[in-house]
Amino acid sequence: MPIDPKVALGAALPPLEFAWSPSDVQLYHLGLGAGARWTDPAELRYLDDRAPQVLPSFATVAPTLRVTEPPRVSFPGVEIDLAKVVHASQEVVVHRPIPAEGKGSSTGRISEVWDKGSAAVVVQETTVTGSDGQPLWTARSSIFAKGEGGFGGERGPSTRSELPDRAPDFDILTPTLPQQALLYRLCGDRNPLHSNPEFARAAGFPNPILHGLCTYGMVCKTAVDTVLGSDAARVIGFRARFAGVLYPGETIRSRMWLGTGEVVIAATAPERDDAPVLGDVRLSFTA
């Protein structure tokens, strides 16, 4: 049986030691399209050679930067074909600004396993501490596995929320490059869904799709640039649900509603009648 919730729920994930450098941070930011405003001092803070500022979404790639093999969905009680899996949601809470260079130690567990009938949702939580032993960030992510439900587990809560009933405070268009996924995959996500047309079509897509975490990072950067004056150190959390796909070369439309210490965001693809891409997006920040 691909999923055994009695084994999976609460199971510890393998601990991991990893490190990153300013060049890794630069590569990640370039993978998100940083540098498009190549003479803007605020933009160039993301690409400084010695001490680039670090977007909180870097936490999603820092542990896998050196990985060159496609990921496997293999955990205690969970064995799923990669072609059936899409990213469902991602949240990062940063306990302090991520340094431009550092070492991290991660520990984690499978915190939830939901049976959606025709599919399954598996949720992981990981905490990363720095070399000083103090917490750096906590990440919570979920995957949606098509055809893997029906194992008799609980269905789980609905996480959809309504957007504010008013016009957005900001409406920003962010282009992506045709080669965006091929560049972003150098950050450690070699899933062929994002690079191999035959694999993508076998998974039900007409062409390779952009990594959900690339879209996630691009929307995070757009919000930081728009609302926080490109000051990534003010961010304390960023979360989103992956509501649809984006194809490399398309545009991300980010509508933003500013609140007290929080930005609510809806990300869509305007080329496809504003088809949803990210939903339930929240960026929280300090004053």
Side-chain angles (χ1 to χ4, degrees):
M1 185 170 67
I3 296 179
D4 183 344
K6 293 180 180 179
V7 174
L9 192 60
L13 301 173
L16 184 64
E17 304 283 336
F18 57 95
W20 65 94
S21 69
S23 292
D24 295 322
V25 173
Q26 289 174 307
L27 176 62
Y28 173 69
H29 289 156
L30 287 169
L32 302 182
R37 305 191 312 275
W38 68 95
T39 60
D40 183 342
E43 179 81 349
L44 293 176
R45 291 178 63 192
Y46 295 108
L47 301 169
D48 186 85
D49 283 333
R50 294 186 177 181
Q53 70 164 347
V54 185
L55 284 167
S57 53
F58 178 73
T60 63
V61 303
T64 59
L65 283 165
R66 307 290 178 259
V67 174
T68 58
E69 296 296 322
R72 295 177 62 233
V73 187
S74 179
F75 309 111
V78 177
E79 291 287 343
I80 304 174
D81 181 356
L82 183 62
K84 297 181 178 181
V85 171
V86 294
H87 209 142
S89 67
Q90 180 70 52
E91 179 177 12
V92 172
V93 175
V94 287
H95 305 296
R96 49 180 164 147
I98 300 173
E101 184 171 12
K103 295 181 179 180
S105 302
S106 73
T107 57
R109 65 188 180 96
I110 298 177
S111 60
E112 298 169 22
V113 180
W114 303 121
D115 185 347
K116 299 296 185 180
S118 62
V121 174
V122 180
V123 184
Q124 302 177 48
E125 288 186 3
T126 59
T127 298
V128 171
T129 57
S131 55
D132 59 1
Q134 298 301 309
L136 277 173
W137 67 77
T138 299
R140 178 182 172 90
S141 65
S142 66
I143 58 171
F144 183 88
K146 296 176 287 185
E148 299 296 334
F151 51 83
E154 295 184 20
R155 184 170 180 81
S158 173
T159 57
R160 295 175 185 269
S161 58
E162 297 295 325
L163 295 172
D165 188 19
R166 60 181 178 85
D169 297 295
F170 305 97
D171 193 335
I172 308 296
L173 296 178
T174 304
T176 69
L177 300 170
Q179 66 270 35
Q180 198 85 52
L182 300 176
L183 175 59
Y184 182 84
R185 70 195 297 266
L186 299 181
C187 295
D189 188 339
R190 303 301 179 102
N191 187 336
L193 179 63
H194 310 295
S195 59
N196 186 316
E198 291 183 3
F199 186 95
R201 289 163 191 155
F205 299 99
N207 284 305
I209 62 176
L210 190 61
H211 304 70
L213 284 179
C214 183
T215 305
Y216 175 89
M218 293 184 77
V219 171
C220 180
K221 180 180 182 298
T222 297
V224 170
D225 291 343
T226 303
V227 177
L228 304 181
S230 299
D231 186 357
R234 291 179 60 189
V235 181
I236 56 178
F238 186 63
R239 65 181 174 91
R241 175 176 53 83
F242 298 97
V245 299
L246 191 78
Y247 293 93
E250 291 187 324
T251 304
I252 305 170
R253 180 187 183 193
S254 298
R255 290 177 294 145
M256 307 181 199
W257 291 263
L258 182 59
T260 303
E262 181 180 73
V263 186
V264 176
I265 307 169
T268 59
E271 291 93 341
R272 288 182 283 115
D273 297 321
D274 278 320
V277 177
L278 297 181
D280 301 324
V281 188
R282 298 286 189 281
L283 182 142
S284 53
F285 58 89
T286 60

